[in-house]
Each structure stands twice: as C-alpha cells, then as structure tokens.
Amino acid sequence: MILIKNANVFNGTDDKLIQNVNLVIEDNIVTKITQDVVDESNADKVINANGHTVMPGLIDAHVHITMSAPFNVIDGMPREEIAIRSAKVAEGMLMRGFTTVRDVAGNTIGLKNSIDNGYATGPRILPSQAAISQTSGHSDYRQNRGQERVGQHEDSPLMKTGAFRVADGRPDVLKAVREQLFMGASQIKVMAGGGASSTFDPLDTLQYTLDEMKAAVEAASDYGTYVAAHIHTADAMRRAAEAGVMSFEHATIMDDDIAKTIKEKGIFVIPSYFTSSLIAERKIPLPNEETYRKTERVGKAMLHSADLIKKYEIENICFGTDCVGTLDVHATQSNELEAIEKVFDSITALRMATSNCGRLFEMSTYQHPYQEGKLGQLVEGAYADLLIIDGNPLEGVACVVNPDTQKVIMKDGVMYKNTLPQ
Ligand SMILES: [Zn+2]
C-alpha cells in the first residue's frame, strides 16, 4: 500500500481543490481519498505531498506515436527503426506527465502490449491501428501517382506498416474496420474529408459516402465501440453526424447548425490549437506551399469554432495534440494545455486533459483495454495514474506543464518521477 499524505486534490472535474486529504493506493488502484487519519504503519511507502496538488495523469486523445518524422521520411524507414523511435516518443509522453494516450493512425498495438507488460516505458495506449479512408482520401498515401501505380496500395510503406488503410464500398469498409478490431483497436479512425497535411486532397472534399460511413459505424458499434473521424468542414461533419460518428477530430470549420448538432448528439470534439499555430507559423516542415496554405486556413477557422463551442456550451471537448514529427515536435505536447487555457480557461483545459478524455474512452466499452479502474479522474476506484504538482493548477496550468513544478509522475501505481524532497 502507498500512502500520499497532506495533499490537495484536483479530481479531474470539480473547479475546487479538495483540501488536506490522504490517498491510499493499493496495487494500481486509488482505494481511498479521505480527510481522516490513515495508519502509516501498514504503508510500504509514504509520500508527503506537503500541501501540493495531486491530480489525474494527463491524457492526450489525439496522438501519432509512430510518426516520429515527416511522412515522406518515415516512408523510407525500415519497420524496426519506426518501432524503436516510437518507443522513444512514447517514453517522452509519459515523462511529460501523460499517463494515457489515444493513438489515431498507427500500428501501435505491439508497443501498447510491450508497455503494459513492462518491456517498454510509456503511457497507456488506446490504439486505433490504421486510419481508414477511401481511395484518394486522406489515408491514401501512395507517393507515386503515375498511372502504372494506380491500384497498388502497397506502394506506400506507411500503408504497409499499418498506419493507413484504403477501403472503398460497404463490404470493403466493413472488412477494414473489422481487421483493425481483430488486431485490438479500441476505437476506429476514418478520414471523413480532406486533410491539411496530405498533398493532393483539397480540404473541402467529402470523403466516404453516407452509406460507407454508416458501414464503418455499424461494424464498430457491433463491437461495442465507436468511430472517430478526421474532419474539417461543416458539410463533412453533417454527414458524419448523420452516420453516427461520435468523435470529431479537428472539427475545424464549424457553423451554428453543426455546433447545435454536436451538442444535441453529444459528439466529442478534439481540436488542436497549439499544433495548428505551430504549422501556421511554419515551424513544422510540410511537403509544399499548398499544404501550408491549407493549414493556415485550418488554424484561423479553429479559433472561430472555439467561439461556437462556448456559445453552444459543448462540454464534450477533449485534449488532443496531433503532433507529427521528430522528438522536438512531440516535445511541444504540453504546450496545448496553455493554448487551451488561452482560448477557454484553466478548468476547461484541465478537464479536457483528464476527465473529458476518460468519458470519451468509455465509449469503447468492452474494446476499452483498461477496464479495471477509472481514467482521467482522481476518485476512489480510479487507476493510480497521477501527478503531484507544486502549485494550484486551477489558478493557471503553467505549474502542470513546467517540469520543475511537476514533481511526481505515477502510472499504474508505479512512480516514474519523484523530485519531492525525500
Ligand atoms: Zn491526426
């Protein structure tokens, strides 16, 4: 048993700290949060939080762990190199305080299993496996568009390694979704419209017919889980909402009509304010001028959509970074917390990076790989995934982001960082 004493708790939901409590951790679960005295003699370890804040570990609902370089560079890498780099990316995430992530395009099940079984260090991973799109969609990463190559989807190593998958028509979409579920996907990712980072598909394209998208939702929901869609425009969002897609990635260019629908249907929205600004400022290399133009448009529109999120009081919003690139790009992950705080406020940023993600992940029901405890909340019965912060995050999230004030990182009851005075 581990005892954390003299703690103030941010539980992931409430806008007030719970003052002066003791937390009891048995194995990997928080079993007690109490203002009563706890007998220290039974504890294997006692951590004096010294009046610091204990909060749930951070959660990132939109990562690409296997994408540790620009796409065209990864496309030339041997699988082993991609895998080893991915392990390093994952370790970096945990050491920034992210104890759980949802990967939304990448073959991460092997890394997830390795981390869960102690062969690698990193966060819990909810894998989507391959992101699925139509031919000519955002997942169609064939590099050679010469006529002789058309029809050969294996042309792109990114597609060969299982980061992307192309499927057309109801039977093929059903099969592609079921393949990801068979490999262990906890949710399904589809591409429902044009992308900013891909070179050939204009942002305004609609991808997948209503029936194809419904097929994806049917195959996912028959397996107890849901579909997350890469999506930028309001028209694409209308179609995806009608098909039953429950997680809108980016959701960039909203209008009042779709904002109302998102609120009514309880669809989750995962924007990425910091990464969009980085790309708009051209700090992340993109293939060409056209992709820069697309991302600049995305960055501006996302801020307008934030106003609609406020106007319609959309509460199902989650933290997601969408970092693609080398370790220094992934290292910007925590900056999103401060970016959200600027757009909304501290409590919204904190909820988005904790309990809101926990609720999103519960839509995976029996495909959820971590069912033993709650994620994203610090309550009795939650996984012992927590941070100890020198400061009050409700007064500003900088103390969560700063490695000097982020004193303790614990995941699954195991301590990965402890800089408290011993
Ligand atoms: Zn993404």
Side-chain angles (χ1 to χ4, degrees), residues 108-119:
T108 54
I109 192 76
L111 178 60
K112 174 209 171 286
N113 293 341
S114 303
I115 290 170
D116 289 350
N117 295 320
Y119 289 89

Side-chain angles (χ1 to χ4, degrees), residues 243-421:
V245 171
M246 284 306 288
S247 178
F248 284 180
E249 312 304 308
H250 322 307
T252 318
I253 312 168
M254 283 188 202
D255 57 22
D256 283 78
D257 169 63
I258 191 63
K260 273 185 232 167
T261 305
I262 287 169
K263 172 74 177 178
E264 276 162 24
K265 290 185 182 271
I267 295 167
F268 281 81
V269 173
I270 297 92
S272 302
Y273 301 107
F274 187 76
T275 308
S276 316
S277 73
L278 264 193
I279 299 173
E281 289 161 26
R282 304 190 173 218
K283 288 181 181 154
I284 294 177
L286 288 179
N288 55 36
E289 202 50 33
E290 171 58 14
T291 53
Y292 277 115
R293 269 196 294 276
K294 288 201 278 190
T295 47
E296 276 160 8
R297 182 175 161 210
V298 162
K300 280 182 196 144
M302 208 170 260
L303 293 175
H304 172 66
S305 296
D307 293 335
L308 292 172
I309 289 171
K310 289 179 214 169
K311 181 175 171 187
Y312 291 100
E313 297 174 343
I314 295 168
E315 283 160 6
N316 286 352
I317 41 174
C318 292
F319 180 104
T321 49
D322 203 16
C323 290
V324 169
T326 48
L327 286 176
D328 52 318
V329 177
H330 284 278
T332 66
Q333 185 178 31
S334 320
N335 296 51
E336 179 67 12
L337 207 59
E338 287 173 301
I340 298 172
E341 183 180 56
K342 262 190 216 130
V343 175
F344 298 98
D345 50 33
S346 307
I347 182 67
T348 306
L350 292 165
R351 283 177 186 145
M352 282 174 74
T354 57
S355 59
N356 289 9
C357 286
R359 286 192 288 117
L360 165 69
F361 299 166
E362 278 169 17
M363 290 198 299
S364 291
T365 71
Y366 35 85
Q367 279 298 103
H368 196 318
Y370 306 106
Q371 299 182 28
E372 214 183 321
K374 267 203 173 302
L375 286 177
Q377 289 185 49
L378 200 51
V379 292
E380 292 178 1
Y383 278 114
D385 294 2
L386 55 86
L387 309 177
I388 300 183
I389 306 293
D390 181 1
N392 180 357
L394 293 168
E395 290 169 1
V397 298
C399 59
V400 181
V401 176
N402 183 344
D404 295 332
T405 45
Q406 194 189 74
K407 299 287 185 187
V408 168
I409 300 169
M410 182 186 281
K411 190 199 83 176
D412 216 30
V414 177
M415 199 108 75
Y416 289 89
K417 176 185 176 182
N418 183 2
T419 55
L420 288 169

Side-chain angles (χ1 to χ4, degrees), residues 62-64 67 71 104-105 138 164 189 191 197 230 249-250 272 321-324:
H62 192 120
V63 301
H64 300 291
M67 298 179 183
F71 290 145
V104 282
H138 190 46
F164 297 117
K189 170 82 180 294
M191 306 299 201
S197 61
H230 156 98
E249 312 304 308
H250 322 307
S272 302
T321 49
D322 203 16
C323 290
V324 169

